[in-house]
Amino acid sequence: MDITDDASIHAAVADLEKKLCGAALDVLVNNAGVALENNIEHDGLRTRFEKTFSVNAFGTVVAAEAFHPLPKLYRTPGDRECGLQRRKLHSNGRDSQRGVDESDLQVYKASKSALNSIAISLAVANPDVHVVVVDPGLNVTRLNTYGIGADPNQGSQIIVDYALEIKGNSPGFYSGQGVLSW
């Protein structure tokens, strides 16, 4: 599914609805994220914001809203929606293992703050759905050019933990170390 394409999102919803055959959709995990700061000088700041927010915020909320009727149609106690937020940089403003200056990620961080706000809005609008944002920590992915971090199988464990049972508050923000303040 292309989270930036409404037709792709709606096709995925229709496909899943067929596959469910009337069964419940218990958990929805939104897992999309890009960091595109490396081309700001070439593309311009507005373009970087538009492309980053299209995936990290707008696409996530459109997908959540598109899939949300499935749990409503097939309501079961404790339906859950898990969002995913990538890790924050070290508090000293520099990722010491990669030498990334925190200011280089201004667009990415702004988009993840928007995602947190969206999670709050979704939880308030849908009090019967448990909405959490989960930070799996730094994982070896294309986002960090497969550089450093945990194996994605290891990093995804916290997402699985929150998806399999209702944990924490809704809305809530969590990492492997516990509650994240936001």
Side-chain angles (χ1 to χ4, degrees):
M1 173 177 80
D2 180 351
I3 199 165
T4 65
D5 181 336
D6 289 356
S8 175
I9 291 169
H10 293 296
V13 170
D15 184 51
L16 181 59
E17 192 167 21
K18 285 181 207 168
K19 289 178 180 176
L20 285 173
C21 298
L25 175 64
D26 295 324
V27 178
L28 175 62
V29 177
N30 291 311
N31 179 16
V34 294
L36 304 171
E37 266 81 2
N38 58 341
N39 290 324
I40 287 177
E41 294 83 20
H42 179 266
D43 294 339
L45 188 57
R46 180 180 305 279
T47 298
R48 284 297 116 201
F49 263 94
E50 288 171 349
K51 288 183 177 182
T52 301
F53 271 69
S54 182
V55 174
N56 295 358
F58 308 148
T60 299
V61 73
V62 170
E65 289 297 320
F67 280 93
H68 189 71
L70 294 179
K72 281 190 173 187
L73 288 173
Y74 314 114
R75 177 68 56 206
T76 59
D79 288 335
R80 296 174 301 289
E81 191 164 320
C82 294
L84 173 66
Q85 175 187 351
R86 298 285 179 200
R87 70 165 182 92
K88 297 178 182 174
L89 290 176
H90 300 295
S91 59
N92 65 4
R94 195 164 245 340
D95 182 330
S96 58
Q97 295 179 348
R98 288 195 59 219
V100 176
D101 188 333
E102 190 172 345
S103 65
D104 290 344
L105 297 174
Q106 64 177 331
V107 179
Y108 174 82
K109 290 171 59 176
S111 72
K112 292 306 180 172
S113 291
L115 179 62
N116 288 350
S117 182
I118 289 165
I120 292 168
S121 296
L122 287 172
V124 169
N126 303 285
D128 55 330
V129 176
H130 193 76
V131 180
V132 295
V133 176
V134 180
D135 179 351
L138 179 63
N139 289 268
V140 178
T141 66
R142 186 173 52 181
L143 189 67
N144 67 17
T145 62
Y146 303 101
I148 59 169
D151 179 280
N153 291 323
Q154 182 183 16
S156 65
Q157 188 58 51
I158 186 171
I159 300 165
V160 172
D161 291 346
Y162 277 84
L164 291 179
E165 68 177 270
I166 294 178
K167 294 173 76 170
N169 296 321
S170 178
F173 306 91
Y174 303 94
S175 72
Q177 289 72 47
V179 176
L180 291 172
S181 59
W182 189 76

